[in-house]
Amino acid sequence: MKNYFLFSIKETPSIASAYAPEETPLAHELIQQIDQSDELPFELELFKLSSGKTGLMKSTYLADLQNIWLDYQPNSLAWPLFSERLKEIFSRNLSGLEGLDWIKVRINGNDEQRVYFIPRFERKLDVIDENKTKYITGTDRIIVPHFSSIKIDKLAVFHKPQAHDFWKITPELYVSDDLKKAIQKERIKGVSFEKVIVV
């Protein structure tokens, strides 16, 4: 049986994070607004985030960070935000059954602008083993997903079912072992892989 992994950002004490403008709607509201668009209608700005004794601190001072432009850029929307390099790794490894497209995002920081990409699913994928998945009693909200090996066999990346259209753009991206190896081969840093349950 193939292995699959939850793909996410590795947490660090200090990091550059891309922030949407103050008046931006909440991420789940924004999904509907950009549903037919291939570009985010606003630009993001980089800030330094660091953990301190009083909690999370936000600063415009980026000079003491080793690298502000990350392949998987943290951001205020809590969406996956990929460099062109990471987007290309994903694109090269897709089977075509994932229904993935990309939203272009412009990020400003350190007196330059770079283009990043948000992966978006065009259709809701059927990936769960309903009998073994654990739900909140009386709801369809998943506590512990159990993915069906038959349903995900030909997918390089997928999402778990979520209410409304939250599955379209989600921070919970699951990747195949082959895609994981491709990401590691290209020495993408600052990311982590957590093995998930496949039945």
Side-chain angles (χ1 to χ4, degrees):
M1 188 180 295
K2 295 180 186 176
N3 292 323
Y4 293 84
F5 303 85
L6 176 61
F7 178 61
S8 56
I9 298 172
K10 188 181 286 183
E11 291 189 22
T12 58
S14 294
I15 201 162
S17 183
Y19 271 74
E22 294 275 330
E23 68 279 1
T24 304
L26 297 173
H28 67 276
E29 296 169 344
L30 198 53
I31 291 172
Q32 292 178 343
Q33 291 182 20
I34 61 170
D35 196 37
Q36 300 301 316
S37 177
D38 62 356
E39 187 165 349
L40 210 57
F42 51 81
E43 297 176 355
L44 304 182
E45 299 289 332
L46 283 183
F47 288 87
K48 175 185 169 184
L49 291 182
S50 52
S51 301
K53 292 179 182 177
T54 57
L56 199 61
M57 296 180 290
K58 180 179 168 187
S59 167
T60 57
Y61 185 71
L62 301 167
D64 59 346
L65 290 173
Q66 186 176 3
N67 187 6
I68 65 168
W69 300 106
L70 305 173
D71 287 303
Y72 193 143
Q73 193 75 52
N75 61 91
S76 62
L77 297 169
W79 283 350
L81 193 54
F82 292 180
S83 67
E84 185 152 5
R85 180 176 170 225
L86 186 54
K87 171 188 177 281
E88 288 308 314
I89 296 168
F90 268 70
S91 296
R92 283 196 309 266
N93 287 278
L94 296 177
S95 67
L97 300 173
E98 296 86 356
L100 202 67
D101 71 352
W102 302 93
I103 301 168
K104 186 187 289 185
V105 183
R106 298 181 193 281
I107 305 178
N108 302 307
N110 215 26
D111 298 322
E112 66 174 303
Q113 184 179 85
R114 295 199 185 181
V115 174
Y116 275 68
F117 299 88
I118 299 166
R120 172 178 55 193
F121 290 95
E122 297 175 300
R123 64 180 177 277
K124 197 171 190 175
L125 299 172
D126 178 15
V127 295
I128 293 291
D129 182 303
E130 290 87 358
N131 295 324
K132 296 191 176 174
T133 291
K134 295 180 177 148
Y135 297 90
I136 294 174
T137 306
T139 76
D140 61 355
R141 295 188 64 184
I142 295 171
I143 300 172
V144 180
H146 284 62
F147 297 103
S148 165
S149 60
I150 294 168
K151 293 178 180 180
I152 63 177
D153 181 57
K154 292 186 171 30
L155 301 175
V157 59
F158 55 92
H159 59 80
K160 76 176 183 186
Q162 294 185 60
H164 310 292
D165 53 4
F166 299 167
W167 52 268
K168 288 185 177 183
I169 303 175
T170 174
E172 293 181 315
L173 291 177
Y174 299 89
V175 299
S176 67
D177 196 31
D178 288 342
L179 180 50
K180 172 182 177 276
K181 287 174 182 171
I183 293 166
Q184 291 172 325
K185 184 180 178 184
E186 294 292 331
R187 300 183 186 276
I188 298 292
K189 295 180 180 172
V191 297
S192 68
F193 300 91
E194 181 185 335
K195 195 173 178 182
V196 295
I197 304 167
V198 178
V199 293

